[in-house]
Structure formats: structure tokens, C-alpha cells
Amino acid sequence: MDGKVRMVFPQPRFCEEDLPDLRGQTALVTGANSGVGLSTARALAKHGAKVVVACRSVAKAQAAKREILRQLGDGSGVQDNLVVLPVGLDLGSSQSVREFASAFSASHARQLDMLVLNAGIMFTPFELSEDGVEMQFMVNHVSHFLLTLLLLPELTPGARVVSVSSCGHFATYPEGIRWAALNASDSYDKFFAYGQSKLANILFTRELAARTRGRDLFVNAAHPGFVATNIQRSINADLRKLFGWLVDACNDIFTQIFGLTPDEGALTQLFLAASPRVRAEGIHGEYWVPTARNATADAWALSPTISRHALDDKLAADLWEFSVKVTGTEALARDLKLERP
């Protein structure tokens, strides 16, 4: 992997060189301007896919495109593989999601082969979105739910939808999702709220998979592993107030022993987005962990890799009902024939 000691995950079962020729396919990657999202977009473009670089602003998307081209080199020939739409994708706003989806549909109708729901925020202070939803839940789940439903008509036969979750889904409120106080500031815990949003990623994956079973579509969730990226900036800022420079020193040591690089962290979602094995093996409605391992089936795990809440069918159905109501997509879900089996 790069010579570092790896004490958390076994050696990978999938590497970037295992990606097939993706020419003629189109991918959309949210949060493609940094970390695992940037690595995912780069790898897909390098292997021939047209990649729509979705970021909060057009400027961030353009910067991501430049960075990918810099990493691959001037002679890589992937300039035309990287697409920046004329609108940004601000996942804190349902209006922005709708505008982005409209722009995508206008330019890539019936052309979407890979939808990678990668963007996210972590351990942020309490804030409500303009839609009145707690911001971590809005960005990490609600907006991705809305984007997925809006773009389902553009998916090609055999398309993949990959939701990027986390092992952090274990660390949620005792009831899994705190419906009664989802948007309440007085009982807000930024750590549990993050875990709640990552739990929602898996529940959404399982529910969407159930509602699309029998279609030529493959919906799965991925945990990228412990990756040192800027998503951790909020917790690190808090810890620095208490422990100063020791935070950065401990982070460096911990990352060297346990951490994955962004390129390594991208492998599991790349597997689910592009590996021929997904279709050949009918991988649908599952949660995978580094590197390219089925969280519910692999015998190597010494402890559970998916929580009981994530396997709760009623909680998944309740989340679906909440999500269609808060996004106003009840009619769209009916039109798309997304009835519960």
C-alpha cells in the first residue's frame, strides 16, 4: 500500500489498476474538490470516464479540475473527461440541488452511469439549513436523497449509485435517528448528529435498493476507512483549543499507523462504482468497508462492521417517508414507481 503499517484493515482486494476501461461512461462525484472525492474523480477520469465534478461552487469545481490535471500530467489526455457545470452544488440548500440536477439533466440526459454521493461535513456546530433541517443531516443525507431521486431518470441500464457512509454510523443517538429532536439545538450533540447522518446513508441505500430491486441498477454504500482529510477540520479545531500543537503531532502519528491516503480511501467506492464484479455478482443494497469487503459477509472482521440500527427495516422505511416529505418529492417518488415492496 505504501510501506506504512496497517493495523486496521487487511491488504486490499481491489486496487485502482483493477478498474476497467470506462470510456463512454459518465460519472457524477459530489465533493470532488478534495480528499477521497478528488481521488475518486481523478481515478475515474484517468480510466476514461467523463466525470462531472460537483462542488459547492463553480470556482471549487474548476479548481478541482485543474488539480486533477496537474496530478495526471499535461500528457494524460483527460482534459475533456472532466466536466464543470455552470452551477455549483451546495448541499446545504435544496434549491441549489434542484438547480444543479436541472443543469445536469439538460446536458447529460440518460447518460449517467455512476452517481457517487461522496460529499459530507463532520462534527460541525449546530446550524439549520435554509430548509429548516439540521445541517449535518441536510448535507450528508437529505440533499443526497433529493439529488438521487432527481437524477434517477438519467441513469443508464446497469448504473451504480454509491453512498459514502462511515463506521461512524455506530456512534449515533440511542434510538438511531432522533426524530423528535432532529432539528433541536438544546439536545444537539455534534458527534452523535454526524453518526446519525452516516447511519442515514446506509438506511437510504438499503431502502432505495429494496424499492428498485429487479431493475438494472446497483445501489450500495461504502465506508472509506480512516482517511486524514479536511473533513476533520472541525474536531481538530476544537481539540487545538484544549491541547494546542499536541493535536497535530498526535494526528500525524495516528495517521502514519492507522490512516489511509485519500487514494486508498477511494478504493472501496471506486470498486462499487466501476468494478464489473458488482453487476456480475448482483451486489445491491449492501454496505462495504476497506478495501472492497462486504461488511455483513466477510469473516475477517473481529467485531461487527455494521450496526443493528443500519439493519433496521422499519427505521429505513421511516427515513424514506421523512425524506420524501422534507424534500417535497412524494409525487416524484410515485412517478418513479419507488413503492415499498
Side-chain angles (χ1 to χ4, degrees):
M1 290 169 79
D2 65 359
K4 293 181 181 179
V5 177
R6 300 302 185 193
M7 299 177 64
V8 178
F9 302 115
Q11 289 300 304
R13 295 180 178 175
F14 178 83
C15 61
E16 188 178 318
E17 288 69 28
D18 295 327
L19 286 171
D21 186 341
L22 299 173
R23 283 176 290 186
Q25 297 193 44
T26 299
L28 168 59
V29 181
T30 70
N33 56 297
S34 64
V36 174
L38 182 69
S39 292
T40 300
R42 177 198 54 74
L44 294 174
K46 179 181 177 181
H47 285 78
K50 177 188 290 186
V51 181
V52 178
V53 182
C55 307
R56 180 186 293 185
S57 67
V58 175
K60 284 182 177 292
Q62 291 172 335
K65 178 177 179 177
R66 290 194 297 271
E67 175 59 18
I68 291 171
L69 292 173
R70 185 195 68 78
Q71 290 182 15
L72 294 180
D74 294 337
S76 62
V78 302
Q79 170 75 31
D80 295 336
N81 293 3
L82 299 163
V83 178
V84 176
L85 295 184
V87 294
L89 176 61
D90 180 358
L91 295 172
S93 162
S94 64
Q95 181 60 34
S96 175
V97 174
R98 290 181 183 277
E99 291 173 356
F100 181 90
S102 177
F104 180 91
S105 297
S107 58
H108 295 84
R110 306 292 192 275
Q111 295 178 31
L112 183 56
D113 302 283
M114 294 165 271
L115 174 58
V116 183
L117 307 172
N118 168 85
I121 56 176
M122 182 180 187
F123 305 152
T124 55
F126 180 80
E127 181 184 0
L128 289 178
S129 71
E130 62 185 42
D131 299 274
V133 180
E134 186 275 311
M135 192 61 81
Q136 289 194 83
F137 204 74
M138 181 72 191
V139 171
N140 295 349
H141 166 65
V142 172
S143 287
H144 277 143
F145 174 94
L146 175 59
L147 181 67
T148 302
L149 261 61
L150 292 173
L151 294 183
L152 273 180
E154 315 308 343
L155 295 177
T156 61
R160 319 287 182 83
V161 177
V162 182
S163 185
V164 181
S165 181
S166 167
C167 65
H169 79 275
F170 277 91
T172 184
Y173 298 104
E175 58 269 53
I177 296 180
R178 182 158 285 185
W179 299 116
L182 183 67
N183 303 317
S185 61
D186 56 354
S187 61
Y188 178 74
D189 181 293
K190 63 184 178 182
F191 302 103
F192 285 167
Y194 173 75
Q196 175 178 251
S197 70
K198 294 289 99 180
L199 171 63
N201 294 153
I202 301 176
L203 292 171
F204 168 50
T205 294
R206 295 184 61 248
E207 187 69 10
L208 179 61
R211 291 170 182 260
T212 58
R213 199 164 298 281
R215 305 185 191 186
D216 196 4
L217 174 66
F218 302 91
V219 182
N220 294 286
H223 165 42
F226 174 75
V227 184
T229 67
N230 63 4
I231 196 173
Q232 300 158 21
R233 58 187 174 273
S234 178
I235 185 173
N236 287 344
D238 287 346
L239 290 174
R240 283 191 191 97
K241 294 177 183 177
L242 297 174
F243 303 109
W245 62 269
L246 284 174
V247 173
D248 292 318
C250 290
N251 259 349
D252 288 344
I253 295 170
F254 190 82
T255 300
Q256 286 297 317
I257 297 175
F258 296 103
L260 303 176
T261 67
D263 286 355
E264 291 166 343
L267 290 176
T268 300
Q269 59 206 59
L270 284 169
F271 168 80
L272 293 172
S275 172
R277 279 183 52 199
V278 172
R279 187 170 194 172
E281 299 176 16
I283 298 170
H284 187 55
E286 298 177 0
Y287 170 58
W288 288 61
V289 298
T291 296
R293 287 172 164 80
N294 188 326
T296 55
D298 270 2
W300 67 267
L302 300 179
S303 61
T305 49
I306 187 167
S307 73
R308 62 180 180 85
H309 287 310
L311 297 173
D312 187 331
D313 291 340
K314 184 180 185 305
L315 193 58
D318 290 345
L319 176 65
W320 182 277
E321 294 307 318
F322 168 85
S323 302
V324 294
K325 288 177 182 176
V326 78
T327 57
T329 53
E330 297 100 323
L332 175 59
R334 286 194 299 270
D335 291 344
L336 294 171
K337 296 181 170 53
L338 295 174
E339 298 86 3
R340 184 165 174 79

